[in-house]
Amino acid sequence: MDHPKPLPRRAVLVVNAQSRKGQAQYRKARDLLERAGVSLIAAHAIDDPGALRPTIRRALADGAPMIIVGGGDGSLSSSVDDFVGYDAVFALLPLGTANSFARSLGIPLDLEGAVGVIAGGQRRRIDLGMIDHDYFANCAAIGLSPLIAQTVPNGLKRVLGRVGYLAWAAYQLTRFRPFRLTVGEGDAAVTIDAVEVRIANGPYQGGTELVEKADVESGEIVVQAVVGDSRHRLLWSWIASALKLRSRRRTTRDFRARVLRVATEPPLPISIDGEVLARTPVTASIARGVIDVAAPR
């Protein structure tokens, strides 16, 4: 049996200080990592989100063996593209509101626990999802999630966290309209009424386990549709999923493959780990085993 490669003991720390907990946790993270025996080659608190990826790219180009990225799902998902093709380990500190990617990897959501994984965990090779040519870490969504992401007031998530996010989601639900979804192409295409679509590499979206069969090592992308033509159907699906009721499975239909074409009528925006970055129609696919992450033993 092959043993996983050990995690590096030297790393570059890059924290999005604009994420909900970023500024407050940056200094604490740096101290905890050093005390845990992780030697920091450099440490950066990024106030301008636009500087996050250039900072990571420089660290990769300089040959950093591990880069620790602190932030929310949007920061983490935008960063994973840059690790493809490099041997560097992607380690994460979950400092956002939902922290879905950390949940999918089994990483503790408290800072001490996450640092413990980086210092004493193992190296794990995982898949990434793709929307056309854009890699993503965890989950893309069509329907209410992009509407929320496009309209949520600046600072609401940062100040109120998940409570603020859920309150805004409830407000946007009153404005939401169902749509027609087509998955696949040609004779194999399936068209149904839908109120939400999740394109998943991992089981969590918005911090809730919604796509149980999605996994970061499955080699398949999962397209899950919440079926129906009423917004109340979506509300019930969310409630049933949050409470883990058996009836939640009757509200959804899953499609699994290495590659799936996804179209909607009308064309709709797609949020990728919380950021609106694409629009239907798209090709959803899986990139198998393309980056190494720091994961729990």
Side-chain angles (χ1 to χ4, degrees):
M1 179 179 175
D2 292 334
H3 293 284
K5 294 169 65 176
L7 290 171
R9 305 302 294 173
R10 299 171 67 249
V12 171
L13 173 64
V14 183
V15 172
N16 176 11
Q18 292 296 307
S19 67
R20 183 167 178 250
K21 303 175 186 176
Q23 190 65 53
Q25 299 284 41
Y26 166 69
R27 292 184 181 278
K28 184 178 179 181
R30 191 177 61 185
D31 293 342
L32 285 171
L33 286 161
E34 293 279 13
R35 288 206 298 269
V38 179
S39 176
L40 294 178
I41 303 165
H44 308 275
I46 306 297
D47 291 316
D48 175 12
L52 185 74
R53 288 187 67 180
T55 303
I56 291 170
R57 287 171 181 159
R58 285 195 298 271
L60 287 166
D62 290 340
M66 178 165 65
I67 301 176
I68 303 163
V69 183
D73 284 319
S75 299
L76 300 174
S77 189
S78 69
S79 304
V80 294
D81 299 57
D82 299 315
F83 284 79
V84 177
Y86 284 91
D87 192 45
V89 173
F90 178 91
L92 65 97
L93 296 174
L95 304 179
T97 303
N99 300 309
S100 295
F101 188 38
R103 295 173 193 270
S104 291
L105 294 175
I107 293 172
L109 303 186
D110 63 290
L111 194 57
E112 290 82 358
V115 168
V117 169
I118 295 168
Q122 67 181 19
R123 191 168 180 147
R124 183 179 173 191
R125 194 80 172 166
I126 67 163
D127 306 336
L128 292 177
M130 296 186 75
I131 298 295
D132 290 334
H133 301 292
D134 185 14
Y135 294 97
F136 67 91
N138 200 68
C139 192
I142 304 167
L144 187 61
S145 293
L147 180 62
I148 296 167
Q150 287 180 315
T151 60
V152 64
N154 289 334
L156 181 66
K157 285 201 300 181
R158 189 173 184 179
V159 174
L160 297 178
R162 292 185 72 185
V163 173
Y165 183 87
L166 291 172
W168 190 254
Y171 168 68
Q172 290 299 333
L173 184 63
T174 64
R175 306 172 56 205
F176 179 68
R177 297 290 181 270
F179 51 91
R180 293 285 283 172
L181 168 72
T182 300
V183 180
E185 295 181 277
D187 293 340
V190 175
T191 299
I192 55 177
D193 291 319
V195 288
E196 182 165 84
V197 180
R198 302 138 187 175
I199 304 171
N201 181 48
Y204 289 90
Q205 182 192 359
T208 300
E209 187 178 19
L210 295 178
V211 190
E212 297 171 67
K213 295 180 180 179
D215 185 87
V216 293
E217 292 179 294
S218 69
E220 291 184 314
I221 198 77
V222 179
V223 175
Q224 182 182 85
V226 180
V227 297
D229 57 5
S230 164
R231 66 172 69 101
H232 300 102
R233 182 81 167 179
L234 177 57
L235 183 60
W236 171 242
S237 182
W238 279 3
I239 293 170
S241 295
L243 298 177
K244 297 188 181 298
L245 303 178
R246 289 185 180 180
S247 59
R248 69 189 184 277
R249 298 186 181 93
R250 295 197 293 271
T251 67
T252 60
R253 180 170 177 180
D254 289 1
F255 305 85
R256 300 172 62 96
R258 187 76 181 264
V259 180
L260 287 167
R261 187 70 173 165
V262 179
T264 63
E265 182 57 46
L268 293 171
I270 302 176
S271 64
I272 302 176
D273 286 328
E275 306 288 333
V276 178
L277 299 172
R279 192 173 186 85
T280 58
V282 295
T283 298
S285 61
I286 206 74
R288 187 157 195 178
V290 287
I291 66 167
D292 283 352
V293 297
R297 289 188 178 277

